[in-house]
Amino acid sequence: MNWRKLTLFACVGAFGFTLSIWASISSSKLTQPPQPITQISVKQLQLQAQAITVKVISSDFLGSGIILQRQGTVYTVLTNAHVLRASKPPYRIQTADGRIWSANIPKTNHFGNNDLAVLQFHSTGTTYSVASLGSSVVVGDEVFAVGFPMTEKPSGEQGFVLTTGKVSLMLPKALEGGYQIGYTNEIQKGMSGGALLNSRGEVVGVNGMHAYPLWDTPSVFADGTEADPTLHQKITHLSWAVPIKTVINLIGD
């Protein structure tokens, strides 16, 4: 489906529908009272994570995504903007049951320069799990990074992966792209757009930058300033996620 070719009527309808989705996500999340922390087993967490994690595809596999919201037959998938920039539409979503759905980009971009994007797909007759969103994490919290790493196989990707680790650094201000949570979990190309989960299986961030980048370029904050050399070294030794709190704040505007 090529979203650029939608008629004006369809665009206006999609715009209105998208606004209602944002309002639904925002109001339902922001009105939730704090819940007591209850850990689940890693096996339960993996099953829960697999159910909400999807593959983002164009002509080839591009990366991972998180089922963020369902409204009627329309599902909203959260991923990284750089995942979509890797190839042109039309995009498709592959859900946990192996089915592939045509996906479109909503007309309105709520994310500015943050490395975030959404796709929407319609599913009639099949209901999919939707992510539970967590609150902020702190240094020392155990976290789980999930997604579909790429390999050298002809298909370019392998099966679902969950890696374990801990939050090691929380920046007081975000790096370019909105990255603010630094953690020890290994993430690989293809896991971008996948979820960073807490021990309850709730999404606390969106994976997007792996540790030890190929090029040692300066670490730049969203305000244009550079991290000092000591902090830069710490940053390059960690994987990074955009906090889910950023998503909630932006869609709440």
Side-chain angles (χ1 to χ4, degrees), residues 84-98:
L84 300 189
R85 285 199 299 267
S87 188
K88 296 179 180 179
Y91 299 113
R92 295 173 292 157
I93 294 294
Q94 184 173 10
T95 44
D97 57 2

Side-chain angles (χ1 to χ4, degrees), residues 2-175:
N2 189 333
W3 65 274
R4 298 178 184 277
K5 296 181 179 179
L6 290 175
T7 64
L8 176 62
F9 175 80
C11 287
V12 172
F15 176 72
F17 186 72
T18 301
L19 288 179
S20 67
I21 287 176
W22 299 134
S24 176
I25 296 171
S26 176
S27 61
S28 61
K29 176 59 188 174
L30 297 178
T31 55
Q32 288 179 5
Q35 299 296 313
I37 294 177
T38 304
Q39 292 188 347
I40 60 177
S41 71
V42 174
K43 181 63 176 177
Q44 288 176 306
L45 191 146
Q46 178 156 340
L47 291 174
Q48 191 170 311
Q50 281 183 284
I52 63 166
T53 305
V54 300
K55 295 178 182 177
V56 179
I57 305 167
S58 61
S59 55
D60 297 305
F61 168 70
L62 298 179
S64 305
I66 308 159
I67 301 181
L68 182 67
Q69 171 75 0
R70 177 172 71 90
Q71 190 167 51
T73 61
V74 178
Y75 288 82
T76 299
V77 171
L78 178 65
T79 186
N80 289 131
H82 79 259
V83 169
L84 300 189
R85 285 199 299 267
S87 188
K88 296 179 180 179
Y91 299 113
R92 295 173 292 157
I93 294 294
Q94 184 173 10
T95 44
D97 57 2
R99 299 184 68 178
I100 296 177
W101 308 89
S102 296
N104 67 285
I105 301 174
K107 191 71 174 177
T108 303
N109 173 18
H110 288 258
F111 300 124
N113 292 324
N114 292 286
D115 191 11
L116 298 167
V118 293
L119 292 168
Q120 292 179 329
F121 69 95
H122 292 257
S123 168
T124 56
T126 303
T127 301
Y128 295 104
S129 298
V130 174
S132 296
L133 307 185
S135 56
S136 300
V137 289
V138 297
V139 172
D141 282 356
E142 185 175 26
V143 286
F144 304 85
V146 303
F148 296 96
M150 291 184 178
T151 70
E152 299 302 322
K153 295 178 181 177
S155 64
E157 47 86 18
Q158 63 182 42
F160 178 85
V161 166
L162 178 149
T163 66
T164 60
K166 290 187 176 182
V167 175
S168 180
L169 184 59
M170 287 291 299
L171 295 174
K173 60 180 180 179
L175 295 166

Side-chain angles (χ1 to χ4, degrees), residues 177-200:
Y179 292 97
Q180 211 162 357
I181 305 174
Y183 46 101
T184 59
N185 309 56
E186 180 184 4
I187 63 171
Q188 302 174 38
K189 186 177 181 182
M191 294 176 71
S192 287
L196 184 69
L197 305 163
N198 63 16
S199 57
R200 289 193 296 179

